[in-house]
């Protein structure tokens, strides 16, 4: 069968599966809509958490950015993996013990303040919309190539699918849909990785192929040595060296780690299990499932980069394989014959370089570049959509619950019934999907970059408030609110200035202390901690009942 038929068949079957699960698990109460009734088994929650976590940034863009940036791109691997360990061990069990629906719920009750709740609501919405923009962009990239539709139409199709099962099933439907989506995305990620590893190195396990010698047909020698040589021949920095300063690498990694531990859509997953013990078990399962993809990504990045350079460098444009023309039609890859010789000059010097490649296509195009069977290519398309839609659904639910539960039920309209609250939650998802679609059509950057901004915002706002709320009985509402406001405002202004107001200055020569917008969230986090601790020292301590609650959620060994 043709690639088009395979793609429609594979994607269509997965969409039918997602919709069927949503119909089967539709929510009938606010508890089911917000936290799936708190009855999700640890194994299922581990699978759902892994799918929620491994977004379009992980599936589509992470290997792409590592492929292009080499060592510099590894910050995403270290940051996102380390951050999840921090979240699972340091924060999630305590928040589950607290027993609420949302992160703003915790902030509002822990800091005994409606103002604190409102600041948390604003932060949750701001972070989630920034993050979801990357997911919708990923949906559009997949649809534009494999279903051969306009990228904007692809975003609209994705909006419709995720709206249906998020509105119908809420967290209950999303959870069991994400279980299926994890199975789809990990199979789609590993199958081409195994194929390509065998072709290039003879190893079935991609992680072993990453450190092995290439077959003679690919030039021989160790993979990374070969890639370093190819990079240097074309004028790029050696693949294993990188060009970012050590300080910037440290700050980006920190922003990703702390941002992970403050992401509302990941934290809320631990409210869906029946006990603290189940939360710990599901965290262990999730770490295992996440590690499968994250340890494979560097291998895919190196394979893809080697294949791309070998295929396009100094090749005749007229003899390029069909995948090149197809991706050209999506405007995600372009060739400009500057010297008129009909050959592709792919080099570091922008004055000479004739090829522009959107790094978000690397994972999606990799099976085509390696000439794998059509069914494998179609499977990758289904996996990319599963990754993007699973995370988008979780983020949209965070936005919905922030509006219906934290803003309306807990603040502006406390007397509304459960039925009315559920209605408002579904209306909120509709508007959230529309706004997310807009940002997907008009993204402020490539997928992993947009997502990195969201992590910086989460690190500078939620992480300090949550950590201090759990481990400091002295932290009060004045300190928490001041810290969150200062942290997120500082980080947002820095990102907006360099990415939108003055993008020409977005380089190491103009960054403050050499810290990029992707890493500024770490500095925002330090500012948040400093302001919060300073303000709380000069204001009244929390009430005794709040201090007792903080001590109570940290008591180990309590019966579940």
């Amino acid at each position: 069968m043709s690639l088009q038929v395979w793609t429609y068949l594979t994607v269509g079957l997965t969409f039918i599966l997602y919709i069927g699960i949503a119909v089967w698990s539709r929510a009938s109460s606010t508890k089911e809509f917000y936290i799936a009734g708190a009855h999700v088994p640890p194994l299922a929650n581990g699978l759902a958490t892994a799918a929620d976590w491994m977004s379009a940034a992980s599936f589509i863009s992470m290997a792409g950015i590592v492929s292009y940036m080499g060592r510099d791109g590894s910050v995403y691997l270290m940051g996102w993996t380390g951050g999840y360990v921090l979240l699972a061990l340091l924060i999630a069990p305590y928040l589950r013990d607290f027993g609420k629906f949302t992160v703003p719920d915790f902030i509002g009750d822990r800091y005994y303040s409606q103002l604190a709740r409102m600041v948390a609501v604003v932060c949750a919405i701001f972070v989630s919309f920034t993050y979801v923009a990357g997911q919708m962009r990923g949906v559009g990239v997949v649809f534009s190539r494999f279903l051969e539709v306009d990228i904007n139409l692809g975003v609209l199709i994705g909006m419709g699918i995720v709206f249906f099962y998020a509105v119908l099933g809420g967290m209950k439907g999303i959870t069991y849909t994400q279980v299926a989506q994890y199975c789809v995305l990990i199979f789609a990620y590993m199958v081409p990785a195994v194929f390509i590893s065998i072709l290039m190195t003879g190893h079935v396990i991609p992680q072993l192929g990453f450190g092995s010698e290439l077959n003679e047909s690919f030039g021989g020698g160790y993979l990374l040595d070969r890639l370093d040589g190819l990079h240097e021949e074309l004028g790029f920095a050696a693949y294993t060296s990188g060009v970012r300063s050590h300080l910037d690498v440290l700050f980006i990694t920190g922003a990703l780690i702390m941002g992970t531990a403050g992401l509302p859509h990941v934290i809320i997953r631990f409210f869906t299990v029946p006990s603290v013990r189940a939360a710990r078990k599901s965290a262990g399962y999730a770490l295992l499932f996440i590690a499968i993809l994250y340890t494979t990504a560097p291998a895919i990045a190196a394979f893809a980069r080697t294949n791309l350079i070998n295929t396009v460098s100094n090749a005749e444009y007229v003899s390029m394989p069909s995948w090149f023309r197809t991706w050209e039609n999506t405007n995600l890859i372009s060739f400009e014959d500057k010297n008129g010789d009909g050959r592709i000059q792919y080099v570091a010097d922008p004055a000479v370089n004739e090829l522009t490649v959107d790094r978000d296509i690397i994972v999606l195009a990799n099976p085509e570049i390696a000439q794998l069977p059509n069914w494998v290519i179609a499977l990758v398309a289904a996996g990319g959509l599963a990754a993007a839609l699973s995370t988008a659904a979780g983020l949209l639910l965070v936005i919905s619950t922030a509006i219906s539960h934290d803003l309306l039920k807990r603040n502006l309209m406390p007397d509304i019934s459960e039925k009315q609250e559920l209605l408002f939650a579904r209306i909120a998802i509709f508007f959230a999907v529309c706004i997310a679609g807009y940002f997907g059509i008009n993204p402020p950057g490539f997928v992993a970059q947009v997502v990195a901004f969201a992590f910086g915002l989460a690190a500078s706002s939620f992480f300090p408030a949550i950590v201090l709320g759990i481990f400091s009985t002295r932290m009060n509402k004045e300190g928490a609110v001041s810290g969150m406001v200062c942290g997120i405002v500082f980080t947002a202004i820095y990102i907006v200035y360099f990415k939108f107001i003055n993008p020409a200055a977005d380089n190491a020569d103009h960054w403050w202390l050499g810290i990029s917008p992707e890493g500024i969230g770490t500095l925002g986090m330090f500012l948040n901690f400093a302001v919060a601790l300073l303000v709380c020292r000069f204001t009244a301590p929390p009430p005794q009942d709040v201090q007792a609650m903080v001590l109570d959620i940290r008591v180990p060994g309590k019966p579940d």
Side-chain angles (χ1 to χ4, degrees):
M1 289 191 291
S2 69
L3 174 59
Q4 191 77 355
V5 173
W6 269 115
T7 304
Y8 275 108
L9 179 63
T10 307
V11 172
L13 288 175
T14 58
F15 279 6
I16 291 171
L17 175 63
Y18 305 153
I19 293 171
I21 292 173
V23 172
W24 166 75
S25 58
R26 57 189 178 276
S28 57
S29 67
T30 53
K31 190 172 184 180
E32 287 186 340
F33 193 88
Y34 293 147
I35 57 172
H39 294 308
V40 180
L43 178 59
N45 195 57
L47 288 164
T49 303
D52 206 355
W53 174 243
M54 291 187 294
S55 62
S58 293
F59 189 98
I60 297 174
S61 196
M62 184 172 62
I65 198 170
V66 175
S67 179
Y68 271 78
M69 300 176 67
R71 186 216 69 175
D72 291 346
S74 66
V75 297
Y76 292 90
L77 294 167
M78 295 185 293
W80 286 338
T81 308
Y84 192 81
V85 175
L86 182 66
L87 168 66
L89 301 180
L90 184 68
I91 293 177
Y94 299 109
L95 291 185
R96 174 59 188 84
D97 196 17
F98 186 72
K100 294 293 182 178
F101 283 169
T102 66
V103 174
D105 239 359
F106 170 79
I107 298 292
D109 288 0
R110 164 60 183 86
Y111 294 113
Y112 52 97
S113 167
Q114 287 297 85
L115 176 60
R117 187 188 306 277
M118 289 302 97
V119 172
V121 167
V122 172
C123 291
I125 293 173
F126 192 26
V127 170
S128 297
F129 270 129
T130 305
Y131 202 154
V132 82
Q135 311 314 308
M136 301 315 295
R137 161 74 173 173
V139 171
V141 169
V142 175
F143 271 118
S144 66
R145 162 61 188 95
F146 293 104
L147 299 185
E148 297 185 5
V149 299
D150 180 74
I151 192 169
N152 297 340
L153 178 58
V155 171
L156 294 175
I157 296 172
M159 287 167 56
I161 295 294
V162 76
F163 172 75
F164 180 84
Y165 69 77
V167 164
L168 189 63
M171 178 58 83
K172 185 179 178 183
I174 287 170
T175 295
Y176 292 105
T177 302
Q178 286 174 335
V179 171
Q181 287 168 331
Y182 176 80
C183 296
V184 172
L185 75 87
I186 201 65
F187 189 65
Y189 204 79
M190 294 304 299
V191 167
V194 170
F195 266 101
I196 296 171
S197 181
I198 293 171
L199 286 172
M200 295 184 68
T201 69
H203 283 279
V204 175
I205 301 174
Q207 291 88 337
L208 296 179
F210 181 57
S212 301
E213 292 189 53
L214 292 166
N215 295 329
E216 289 302 320
S217 58
F218 289 91
Y222 283 95
L223 172 62
L224 293 179
D225 288 340
R226 173 69 175 162
L227 201 47
D228 277 346
L230 290 172
H231 263 227
E232 291 169 342
E233 286 175 15
L234 300 175
F236 297 101
Y239 188 78
T240 55
S241 66
V243 296
R244 288 186 183 272
S245 69
H246 293 301
L247 180 65
D248 193 31
V249 168
L250 176 65
F251 270 65
I252 294 175
T253 305
L256 295 173
I257 290 174
M258 309 310 171
T260 297
L263 281 176
H265 79 286
V266 176
I267 292 174
I268 200 174
R269 288 242 50 94
F270 294 96
F271 296 151
T272 66
V273 292
S275 66
V276 174
R277 180 175 297 176
R280 293 186 187 277
K281 284 184 178 179
S282 65
Y285 284 127
L287 282 169
L288 173 64
F289 298 140
I290 290 168
I292 295 172
L293 187 146
Y294 272 48
T295 57
T296 306
I300 288 182
F303 294 153
R305 186 67 173 168
T306 304
N307 266 336
L308 179 68
I309 292 174
N310 285 336
T311 302
V312 303
S313 183
N314 204 37
E316 291 186 0
Y317 177 68
V318 295
S319 63
M320 288 301 295
S322 60
W323 67 263
F324 190 92
R325 302 280 195 282
T326 308
W327 280 105
E328 269 192 310
N329 294 336
T330 67
N331 297 317
L332 296 174
I333 189 169
S334 61
F335 167 63
E336 179 187 0
D337 193 3
K338 294 180 179 179
N339 60 9
D341 67 350
R343 290 184 172 274
I344 300 174
Q345 307 301 317
Y346 184 43
V347 295
D349 186 352
V352 180
N353 181 55
E354 299 176 336
L355 184 69
T356 302
V357 182
D358 189 312
R359 64 194 73 191
D360 285 339
I361 75 169
I362 286 298
V363 169
L364 300 175
N366 197 23
E368 294 181 277
I369 298 173
Q371 300 179 342
L372 297 185
N374 284 340
W375 68 268
V376 177
I377 299 169
L379 184 63
V380 171
L385 290 171
L389 294 176
S390 63
T391 303
L395 292 164
L396 291 169
L397 189 68
V398 166
I399 297 167
S400 168
T401 54
I403 294 171
S404 62
H405 181 71
D406 297 305
L407 180 62
L408 298 180
K409 178 67 175 178
R410 297 299 303 274
N411 194 355
L412 301 180
M413 303 168 64
D415 297 326
I416 59 173
S417 66
E418 182 174 332
K419 186 177 180 179
Q420 288 173 316
E421 186 181 352
L422 199 56
L423 175 62
F424 283 126
R426 286 173 166 146
I427 293 173
I429 283 186
F430 170 76
F431 286 104
V433 166
C434 293
I435 297 171
Y438 171 80
F439 286 118
I441 293 171
N442 301 282
F446 56 87
V447 175
Q449 185 183 49
V450 173
V451 169
F453 298 153
F455 279 76
L457 295 169
S460 63
S461 57
F462 280 125
F463 181 73
I466 293 172
V467 170
L468 293 172
I470 294 171
F471 296 102
S472 172
T473 56
R474 182 63 180 81
M475 181 51 57
N476 59 15
K477 62 182 179 182
E478 291 85 0
V481 171
S482 301
M484 283 193 293
V485 171
C486 290
I488 198 167
V489 168
F490 167 78
T491 304
I493 288 174
Y494 193 90
I495 292 172
V496 169
Y497 175 77
F498 283 111
K499 292 300 176 182
F500 301 103
I501 297 176
N502 191 14
D506 186 18
N507 56 69
D509 294 333
H510 298 91
W511 295 334
W512 192 28
L513 303 177
I515 302 170
S516 65
E518 290 85 353
I520 200 63
T522 300
L523 198 57
M525 178 200 67
F526 288 139
L527 177 63
N528 186 331
F529 270 118
V531 169
L533 292 170
L534 180 65
V535 170
C536 85
R537 294 301 170 192
F538 293 95
T539 48
Q544 286 299 318
D545 62 322
V546 172
Q547 295 187 46
M549 175 185 69
V550 174
L551 292 173
D552 182 64
I553 65 173
R554 297 210 310 267
V555 174
K558 292 188 300 181
D560 291 332

